Amino acid sequence: MKRLLLIAAALLAACSPPPDDPSRTEITLMRFFGSCESKFGAVNDVRQGVGECGIVTTLVNEFNATNGEGIVVRTQIGEWGPYYDQLTARLVAKDVPTVAVMHESALGDYVRRKLVRPLHEDFARIGIPVDDFTEHARRGVSFGGKVHALPFDTWAWLWHLNTGLFKQAGLVQGGRAKLPGSPEELIAQAEQFKRRTGKPYFAWAVANETAANFRSFLTLVAQQGAPLFSSDGKSIDMRQPAVMKALTLMQRLYAEGHVKPHLDYAAANQAFLNGEAGVLLVGTWTLDQFLREADKPGSALAGGYEVVPFPQLYAKKAVFADGHAWALFEGGAKTERHHQAALRFLKFVWSRSGEWARTGHLPVSRQVADSAAFKQLPMRAGLTEITETGVGMPGNVPTQRAIELLIGEDVANLMLSNKPVAEVQANVEKRVNTALKKARR
Amino acid sequence: MSAVGLRASRPAYALFVLPFVALYAALLIWPLLKGVFISFHDHDLLSNESFWVGLANYAELWDDEVFRQVVGNTIRFVAISTPIFVILSLSLALALNRPGKLAFLLRATFFCASVFSVTLVTLVWKLALMPGRGLLPQLLTALGLPELPLLTDENLALLTVALITVWWIIGLPMILFLSALQQIPAELYEAAALDNASRWRTLTRVTLPSLKRAIVLVALIELIRQFQVFPQILLMTNGGPNNSTRPIVQFIYEQAFMQLSLGYATAASQVLLAIMLVGVSAQIWIERDKKGGRA
Amino acid sequence: MNPLLRRGWFDRLLMAGLCLLALAWMLPLLWVLALSFKPNEFLMARTDVFLAPPYTLDNYLDILGTSAVFRWLGNSALVALLQTAGVLVLSSLAGYGFARCEFPGRRWLFAFVLFGLAVPAQSVFIPLHHQFTSWGLQNTHAGLILPGLAAPFGVYLMTQYFKAIPLELEEAALLDNASRLKTFVRVILPLSLPAQATLGIFTFLACWNDYLWPLVIATQPDMYTLTRGLASTQTNFAQSEGLGFLMAQAVFAGAPVLLLYLFFQKHLVSAVSSR
């Protein structure tokens, strides 16, 4: 009944245009995360938001309702897949949004072309404490030593575990799943898992997927302390021993049946949720939903569901991580007043950044990360370390979307087509170096 | 006034074609020329800065083994799908070119899939082909057949996407043939009936010859469309496995939007244009040959 | 009577076979319909379900609850209808001009137009975007409609169709001293209804489901077309987390076109029984 009333209200709202008010300062906000108007369109309290869409919608709603300065944030939702294509088209067409959410890995190309406003001084002036940014967040939004965006979250590459199956395989320690500490241990434990449960250890998204493969690969290389890219971000070294070890491990795991074969993203999630594999490699964003799944009666995760950062298999603790950040664009604010309004909005987002952590993503404020409220959220305590150990491609590597595609594609071929490791190394190095050389900034 | 009247050449008649040609020149030819111009530059998509490089982009394409593979994939895709499109849609049109509710329903059924967007079509087939739990693997297992990794096998992926494409848009060439069938004069059929011609003879002596122009048209339109195949491959295999399905247009998209290299991307699109020009010219020339006289 | 229409055992077998084929053809779409009534959370874990519970109307209610959805529907409808009308008018006129009229330069102009058939959309996509944005046509209906009017396929189709119309019909009209234009409108056009219906459906569908061009030219949410607008409402991993919603959106977006097809289908197969 309430839903129907909301829909009726929405339809009525669509018919009547809002009156033009000169005392309003309207800024535009471009984002993904989808739309959930029917559930949260009228909710003005971010604490009541649930899920990525719900929380970011209520965040904006609350700001609009409570800022008291006549600032109105108009949300413009873009589709996630072609988000950057659309953003680029908008910038080229001079239809620039005031604020936009972006992945930190995508910021670099826009910053270097001077399309994004540096915010270092603004943050100091309005009181956003850059020193409170976690290490990963700071790295993600800093270019040339200056901060260019407000970090929103850190998301990382996790192992989601079906503890029940681990118990069945005899891989438990103190009631919790026993994790490998080295590649050899991993192989041994995977073999034991398969023997005892008859199921593969891993469910990976390998088919039709480049990001997942790239992230696992980068994690393994980073854990060996090896820099994949040169310090100027203009070349890649795929021939170093760390790379060979990482690729060999991945190929061996897949070839020996420790990874359920041929799965794409949706299939891997389904396999895990139905208890067909012990470990799912996916990010922080599914945490919330998987927890709900595990609580359902008769769920395959009823025997226990755990989440850990990608375990340390080599010398160094590292895991792939990226983050979302809010950037202000050159030409996106019509007047200085609009720019200040946008900054007020960012300040508000910062003050509520603890709420966003309820999605499963990690906080960007050290205070929030250390707070009891955050640590009490299920499983988060074990993930906090990622705010320091998280790594991605260095910020000076250009066109990271394209580079991720080139690397991820061949890593997938390593497994799907059993492409020889040496061939993958040579091929990726050649193609990535060509691409990096061509990228002009 | 007879045939001469119809054949009289008057400049005023050009007004029939002028509106279209004006729009065509402004919105297709002019941007095309600009695109060719850009292909001689190194042009950054995001900052819009560019500098002249002459034929360097084309030389690089020539040496690019990924591009060569991509051209090969596209040609293979067209070679697989176009004959299937033409033959299947012709057969369906011939069989369903009749009045009655059943034929109406059947025509609508085969057309139905084409109203859906490519995102949905690829999504539902990815689910149907999901290893182990998808509809198709379950069917194969039930029949005792081995489960084939249709989308992840280098030799099968392109064929699979081609067949899904046929499933998706067979309706359109089918209605093209249907509209062409309506043009066959009733007298021809009456003459055949008078001669007590069998169905087969009617088909081969009356219907098919009258459809020659339509067959060339359908082959042409499918050629054009399948050379530009892109979203379904992007969404189902992302060009893999091992670059065995990546089409030219995906290459162009990746170069332009991901590597921000607009000059290189437009050079690749000119190569696609050249390839398509060969195909289109060949088709039109075939048709010209068959008729002679006015083209 | 058309020998092809004789009823016999072969005919019945053929139709039976086609019915089976049609059923198999429809199966994935029926599945889409079934999935659209399932909750998203449920579908994250399993998709190999058909008619079994749970059911929900939430996915459709979510679509209707998005206040902009009817604006998007209106955008798509307006743009598709105007573009289709434009293409039909322009292509018919030009097709007639090329098929039946003689004027200086006709052959060259026709070859010039046919060349356009080989031009892939990607060759012109970005320069066209530059052009339109410099003319200030981004986020306008004109920006969405105009490029489709320049496609030569319609002209080619109509030219071929008009060429097949017997000359005698036109000559008869001209004998009555009718102008070319009148002949065209009174005699030729009515004969070309199947081609008009085909081209109309083709163009409408291409416009309705257009993917890349609306993405870059209509970037403001109130100018989104239906497919783009619905896509923007999906969460980031909708193929896994929002599957029911995706299916409902597809049904919602596909239904109008299907209805349009059913409406115009009667012009496709006209008066066959008289043959």
Side-chain angles (χ1 to χ4, degrees):
Chain A
M1 185 60 196
K2 187 171 169 191
R3 293 287 298 281
L4 284 170
L5 280 176
L6 276 172
I7 291 167
L11 283 171
L12 276 172
C15 295
S16 49
D20 215 50
D21 189 346
S23 66
R24 278 163 45 126
T25 311
E26 191 180 271
I27 58 174
T28 52
L29 179 131
M30 185 174 167
R31 66 165 179 84
F32 34 74
F33 301 124
S35 152
C36 36
E37 209 178 314
S38 59
K39 285 201 192 74
F40 295 104
V43 177
N44 285 348
D45 184 357
V46 67
R47 285 166 303 179
Q48 291 179 30
V50 176
E52 282 181 342
C53 179
I55 297 179
V56 73
T57 304
T58 49
L59 187 71
V60 172
N61 287 351
E62 189 177 321
F63 178 75
N64 281 340
T66 61
N67 70 77
E69 292 173 34
I71 305 175
V72 175
V73 174
R74 198 156 58 90
T75 304
Q76 299 170 327
I77 306 179
E79 195 187 336
W80 178 64
Y83 185 77
Y84 292 105
D85 303 336
Q86 194 171 31
L87 180 61
T88 304
R90 285 189 67 170
L91 294 174
V92 166
K94 303 278 185 282
D95 168 27
V96 186
T98 323
V99 188
V101 72
M102 293 176 70
H103 294 90
E104 285 165 7
S105 53
L107 266 176
D109 289 322
Y110 295 82
V111 166
R112 283 186 289 271
R113 288 167 176 76
K114 310 235 187 320
L115 297 166
V116 171
R117 297 182 72 145
L119 296 175
H120 211 95
E121 292 170 7
D122 285 319
F123 282 176
R125 203 166 23 87
I126 63 172
I128 292 183
V130 170
D131 289 326
D132 191 31
F133 291 178
T134 63
E135 195 177 314
H136 180 263
R138 182 83 181 256
R139 255 185 285 135
V141 297
S142 301
F143 295 91
K146 294 227 168 104
V147 170
H148 281 79
L150 179 73
F152 196 35
D153 62 41
T154 294
W155 50 265
W157 207 229
L158 308 174
W159 282 27
H160 297 248
L161 311 168
N162 185 332
T163 325
L165 283 177
F166 269 73
K167 286 195 186 122
Q168 207 187 331
L171 288 168
V172 274
Q173 206 167 15
R176 300 192 55 191
K178 183 165 165 205
L179 296 167
S182 74
E184 295 75 31
E185 259 180 52
L186 173 58
I187 301 268
Q189 289 182 8
E191 279 169 2
Q192 181 180 344
F193 187 91
K194 194 153 71 141
R195 253 196 334 266
R196 302 263 189 98
T197 65
K199 297 175 182 167
Y201 191 72
F202 281 119
W204 286 359
V206 183
N208 195 19
E209 176 74 42
T210 50
N213 301 312
F214 165 73
R215 289 166 189 164
S216 304
F217 169 68
L218 191 72
T219 303
L220 292 172
V221 171
Q223 284 187 355
Q224 297 174 63
L228 194 57
F229 293 92
S230 60
S231 53
D232 63 357
K234 284 295 181 184
S235 68
I236 192 176
D237 180 4
M238 289 287 288
R239 295 180 200 274
Q240 47 186 319
V243 169
M244 197 192 71
K245 285 199 195 134
L247 293 176
T248 315
L249 178 65
M250 289 178 85
Q251 189 173 57
R252 185 172 171 196
L253 284 168
Y254 193 84
E256 290 181 7
H258 300 303
V259 180
K260 201 156 158 69
H262 302 136
L263 301 179
D264 67 2
Y265 180 83
N269 282 10
Q270 281 194 28
F272 178 70
L273 289 174
N274 286 292
E276 292 166 16
V279 181
L280 174 69
L281 249 63
V282 82
T284 45
W285 55 84
T286 55
L287 189 59
D288 210 23
Q289 278 139 323
F290 284 6
L291 279 170
R292 281 203 292 265
E293 247 333 278
D295 279 337
K296 289 201 184 130
S299 155
L301 296 176
Y305 165 60
E306 262 181 77
V307 167
V308 295
F310 201 112
Q312 185 185 349
L313 297 177
Y314 297 95
K316 202 170 143 210
K317 213 172 220 222
V319 62
F320 173 82
D322 194 346
H324 298 118
W326 296 100
L328 300 188
F329 285 90
E330 297 285 358
K334 281 185 283 199
T335 66
E336 183 58 26
R337 196 179 90 234
H338 288 83
H339 178 62
Q340 295 305 322
L343 289 171
R344 278 278 287 119
F345 175 69
L346 290 187
K347 179 102 200 272
F348 178 77
V349 170
W350 178 254
S351 69
R352 298 285 190 280
S353 66
E355 294 295 329
W356 183 246
R358 284 190 286 120
T359 54
H361 296 312
L362 298 165
V364 287
S365 151
R366 286 180 204 264
Q367 256 187 359
V368 173
D370 288 334
S371 71
F374 173 69
K375 292 215 164 104
Q376 269 164 15
L377 293 170
M379 310 222 212
R380 304 304 204 277
L383 301 178
T384 326
E385 64 183 44
I386 300 179
T387 56
E388 283 172 46
T389 62
V391 289
M393 276 193 258
N396 54 9
V397 174
T399 62
Q400 294 194 7
R401 246 173 100 201
I403 307 298
E404 178 191 90
L405 174 69
L406 290 172
I407 300 177
E409 209 177 16
D410 242 2
V411 172
N413 291 334
L414 189 76
M415 296 181 279
L416 285 177
S417 314
N418 218 19
K419 200 167 179 181
V421 169
E423 225 180 278
V424 169
Q425 285 178 286
N427 196 31
V428 171
E429 185 165 298
K430 188 165 77 133
R431 292 178 63 190
V432 171
N433 280 340
T434 315
L436 288 174
K437 212 159 33 109
K438 222 198 290 196
R440 278 200 272 129
R441 274 178 197 76
Chain B
M1 200 157 78
S2 60
V4 177
L6 264 181
R7 294 267 192 274
S9 171
R10 295 222 221 124
Y13 291 158
L15 286 174
F16 275 108
V17 306
L18 210 58
F20 172 76
V21 173
L23 270 173
Y24 170 78
L27 299 181
L28 202 137
I29 299 297
W30 179 239
L32 176 67
L33 292 174
K34 290 240 289 261
V36 173
F37 185 66
I38 294 177
S39 74
F40 296 127
H41 291 73
D42 181 336
H43 187 131
D44 184 78
L45 181 72
L46 205 45
S47 62
N48 244 344
E49 292 176 11
S50 70
F51 54 87
W52 179 268
V53 293
L55 289 173
N57 285 327
Y58 291 97
E60 205 183 319
L61 278 173
W62 183 258
D63 286 330
D64 192 337
E65 74 174 25
V66 173
F67 186 64
R68 278 203 296 273
Q69 248 186 314
V70 149
V71 171
N73 292 340
T74 314
I75 293 178
R76 261 188 314 140
F77 187 84
V78 171
I80 296 173
S81 57
T82 310
I84 301 179
F85 268 116
V86 174
I87 297 173
L88 187 59
S89 61
L90 179 59
S91 313
L92 285 175
L94 287 171
L96 296 176
N97 182 30
R98 58 179 69 203
K101 284 245 166 60
L102 183 62
F104 173 82
L105 272 172
L106 288 174
R107 284 195 302 265
T109 307
F110 288 108
F111 184 80
C112 209
S114 30
V115 310
F116 290 98
S117 71
V118 68
T119 339
L120 177 86
V121 169
T122 52
L123 185 59
V124 80
W125 277 99
K126 274 194 291 189
L127 293 174
L129 293 174
M130 194 182 277
R133 15 170 40 97
L135 192 65
L136 206 66
Q138 285 195 15
L139 192 69
L140 288 174
T141 319
L143 293 173
L145 295 167
E147 208 186 291
L148 289 168
L150 288 171
L151 289 174
T152 50
D153 184 307
E154 272 179 62
N155 302 314
L156 294 174
L158 196 65
L159 177 65
T160 309
V161 182
L163 291 176
I164 292 172
T165 308
V166 170
W167 172 87
W168 178 32
I169 49 181
I170 193 69
L172 292 156
M174 182 183 79
I175 65 177
L176 270 171
F177 275 128
L178 279 171
S179 72
L181 280 169
Q182 310 318 304
Q183 270 199 309
I184 302 178
E187 302 83 54
L188 289 178
Y189 286 122
E190 283 159 16
L194 280 172
D195 285 345
N196 251 329
S198 72
R199 294 178 65 125
W200 182 252
R201 276 195 66 177
T202 316
L203 185 69
T204 52
R205 295 290 173 83
V206 176
T207 318
L208 286 181
S210 312
L211 282 180
K212 275 208 179 95
R213 193 182 262 133
I215 293 177
V216 171
L217 179 86
V218 169
L220 189 68
I221 187 66
E222 288 309 324
L223 202 79
I224 292 171
R225 294 195 326 164
Q226 305 320 324
F227 258 120
Q228 299 183 58
V229 66
F230 170 42
Q232 59 267 44
I233 298 188
L234 179 75
L235 294 170
M236 295 204 81
T237 59
N238 204 16
N242 208 8
N243 207 33
S244 63
T245 56
R246 181 176 268 107
I248 300 180
V249 176
Q250 184 173 339
F251 182 86
I252 295 172
Y253 165 76
E254 285 167 358
Q255 288 301 323
F257 284 94
M258 294 177 92
Q259 298 210 22
L260 305 175
S261 222
L262 190 58
Y264 198 54
T266 43
S269 68
Q270 307 315 324
V271 174
L272 175 61
L273 167 59
I275 296 176
M276 282 175 67
L277 202 55
V278 170
V280 167
S281 311
Q283 289 277 23
I284 294 183
W285 186 72
I286 291 175
E287 199 228 356
R288 205 168 222 216
D289 224 30
K290 283 205 159 89
K291 282 171 52 274
R294 295 185 58 159
Chain C
M1 184 196 170
N2 183 344
L4 290 176
L5 288 179
R6 277 193 222 117
R7 303 276 180 268
W9 63 267
F10 175 73
D11 203 72
R12 272 189 267 276
L13 197 65
L14 181 67
M15 292 314 271
L18 279 176
C19 284
L20 272 172
L21 185 65
L23 201 65
W25 216 266
M26 268 296 263
L27 211 58
L29 299 175
L30 294 173
W31 192 30
V32 168
L33 193 61
L35 288 177
S36 72
F37 290 107
K38 303 245 181 296
N40 287 326
E41 284 213 351
F42 175 80
L43 291 176
M44 201 163 110
R46 332 189 28 184
T47 47
D48 52 340
V49 289
F50 213 99
L51 290 176
Y55 305 119
T56 177
L57 277 179
D58 272 356
N59 298 323
Y60 288 99
L61 289 178
D62 280 341
I63 295 177
L64 294 173
T66 308
S67 59
V69 81
F70 291 103
R71 193 172 315 146
W72 296 334
L73 187 60
N75 284 336
S76 275
L78 185 71
V79 169
L81 283 171
L82 285 180
Q83 191 178 89
T84 305
V87 166
L88 287 176
V89 167
L90 290 172
S91 301
S92 303
L93 284 172
Y96 181 67
F98 284 126
R100 277 289 196 266
C101 303
E102 269 295 353
F103 50 86
R106 183 188 62 82
R107 290 216 174 180
W108 288 110
L109 216 49
F110 191 53
F112 178 59
V113 168
L114 284 189
F115 168 77
L117 286 173
V119 175
Q122 290 66 36
S123 292
V124 300
F125 185 69
I126 291 172
L128 196 65
H129 180 249
H130 282 159
Q131 212 168 314
F132 269 57
T133 53
S134 68
W135 290 339
L137 286 176
Q138 74 269 28
N139 292 312
T140 61
H141 288 113
L144 285 165
I145 297 171
L146 286 174
L149 298 180
F153 169 66
V155 174
Y156 182 59
L157 178 65
M158 296 313 284
T159 309
Q160 298 300 77
Y161 208 81
F162 287 140
K163 272 196 221 167
I165 295 180
L167 289 164
E168 303 80 55
L169 292 166
E170 252 189 290
E171 287 164 1
L174 280 173
L175 273 174
D176 295 339
N177 255 329
S179 76
R180 268 343 258 279
L181 190 59
K182 273 224 188 94
T183 319
F184 172 64
V185 175
R186 298 269 174 79
V187 179
I188 305 295
L189 263 189
L191 288 173
S192 65
L193 277 180
Q196 302 273 354
T198 305
L199 184 57
I201 292 172
F202 229 84
T203 310
F204 191 89
L205 196 56
C207 189
W208 191 265
N209 281 332
D210 200 3
Y211 190 73
L212 273 177
W213 180 251
L215 179 77
V216 298
I217 202 70
T219 52
Q220 296 277 344
D222 51 350
M223 276 307 297
Y224 281 163
T225 53
L226 185 65
T227 42
R228 291 260 64 84
L230 288 176
S232 74
T233 61
Q234 297 159 11
T235 57
N236 291 6
F237 288 94
Q239 42 160 319
S240 173
E241 300 166 13
L243 200 59
F245 191 46
L246 277 180
M247 297 298 176
Q249 285 183 356
V251 173
F252 189 82
V257 192
L258 193 57
L259 289 171
L260 198 89
Y261 167 76
L262 292 173
F263 181 68
F264 280 106
Q265 220 219 170
K266 60 174 182 259
H267 293 298
L268 282 176
V269 180
S270 52
V272 177
S273 55
S274 68
R275 302 202 177 160

